[in-house]
Amino acid sequence: AQKVTQAQTEISVVEKEDVTLDCVYETRDTTYYLFWYKQPPSGELVFLIRRNSFDEQNEISGRYSWNFQKSTSSFNFTITASQVVDSAVYFCALKIIQTGANNLFFGTGTRLTVIP
Amino acid sequence: DAGVTQSPTHLIKTRGQQVTLRCSPISGHKSVSWYQQVLGQGPQFIFQYYEKEERGRGNFPDRFSARQFPNYSSELNVNALLLGDSALYLCASSLVRGPTDTQYFGPGTRLTVL
């Protein structure tokens, strides 16, 4: 069975602080993809990043960076120099390859509030 | 280019009624998936359609059904509504059906069942 755990329900930081959102996943499959999505108050899920299970290189995109560690089944997301516009709910998701299905297994999300 | 569009934005129904939600995928995308997001939870997979055929189904009762049209738009139908069906229903489209595809989500339809 697949499972994604985001233990941090809510996080508040002051603007310009760095913040890391944790994601731990469980799967018996060896081939899978991991995703992060952002959900602002409008409700639409905004795609941020996709990572496959064979690529453990960390990735940086502007103020965003992702740390994928297969040994600990974690795919953490760091926002550097946070801004008020970063306030949203962030979801980590897992997709299994072998079944051929296209569905995502989501965590319960982390609500980030950036205080000006 | 337009993203995934969904209609209506909000909907209020009473228990026992039926509801139809609509989704138009990104132009060129042939796969549509539906998710239910209950308040405070992550989205849960309901259906995936590709080339007008159901390609995947989550753990939802038969009251939930869907279809995809030749233009790749899709409808989600829910019969005999229960209070627990109150949720944000999200539609996602992807280029094809492959598991390596990325899904892009619409703004959702917020359904309230009274």
Side-chain angles (χ1 to χ4, degrees):
Chain A
Q2 282 64 240
K3 186 179 179 182
V4 176
T5 301
Q6 294 179 257
Q8 304 152 307
T9 306
E10 295 190 30
I11 300 176
S12 291
V13 298
V14 176
E15 200 171 19
K16 296 185 184 177
E17 285 185 346
D18 298 347
V19 59
T20 295
L21 310 182
D22 298 334
C23 172
V24 174
Y25 61 92
E26 295 176 32
T27 179
R28 293 183 180 178
D29 292 87
T30 56
T31 308
Y32 50 87
Y33 276 84
L34 295 164
F35 297 77
W36 276 95
Y37 284 87
K38 173 183 179 181
Q39 188 174 44
S42 61
E44 181 173 347
L45 282 166
V46 178
F47 166 72
L48 296 177
I49 189 171
R50 182 183 82 185
R51 210 89 184 121
N52 76 57
S53 52
F54 297 109
D55 184 0
E56 287 193 70
Q57 275 193 335
N58 292 330
E59 182 157 339
I60 298 174
S61 176
R63 297 185 296 108
Y64 295 169
S65 62
W66 291 269
N67 183 343
F68 175 30
Q69 291 195 338
K70 216 167 177 177
S71 60
T72 56
S73 296
S74 66
F75 185 44
N76 296 337
F77 173 30
T78 297
I79 302 174
T80 304
S82 59
Q83 300 176 1
V84 173
V85 293
D86 295 328
S87 297
V89 181
Y90 290 85
F91 289 96
C92 180
L94 169 71
K95 185 186 333 185
I96 303 306
I97 305 301
Q98 281 89 337
T99 61
N102 202 31
N103 56 295
L104 296 163
F105 296 91
F106 283 88
T108 52
T110 296
R111 180 178 298 279
L112 173 65
T113 302
V114 181
I115 304 165
Chain B
D1 283 346
V4 178
T5 59
Q6 293 185 244
S7 63
T9 307
H10 295 88
L11 207 49
I12 299 176
K13 293 284 187 178
T14 55
R15 279 179 298 176
Q17 285 189 313
Q18 174 264 340
V19 68
T20 298
L21 311 180
R22 295 176 177 82
C23 170
S24 292
I26 293 171
S27 178
H29 284 196
K30 297 182 178 181
S31 178
V32 168
S33 297
W34 288 94
Y35 290 79
Q36 180 197 65
Q37 186 180 14
V38 173
L39 194 63
Q41 299 294 317
Q44 276 201 297
F45 173 70
I46 310 175
F47 286 112
Q48 186 204 14
Y49 275 77
Y50 176 69
E51 293 287 7
K52 303 184 291 293
E53 290 189 15
E54 182 183 305
R55 304 291 185 156
R57 184 183 184 116
N59 189 23
F60 280 81
D62 292 343
R63 299 184 296 108
F64 288 77
S65 63
R67 55 180 175 168
Q68 187 177 33
F69 300 99
N71 66 352
Y72 303 109
S73 66
S74 177
E75 286 182 352
L76 174 70
N77 295 285
V78 187
N79 294 322
L81 285 167
L82 303 174
L83 295 179
D85 295 331
S86 294
L88 179 68
Y89 288 84
L90 294 161
C91 173
S93 77
S94 58
L95 198 56
V96 288
R97 179 184 165 243
T100 60
D101 253 17
T102 295
Q103 295 182 28
Y104 296 91
F105 285 81
T109 293
R110 186 163 297 282
L111 172 65
T112 302
V113 182
L114 302 176

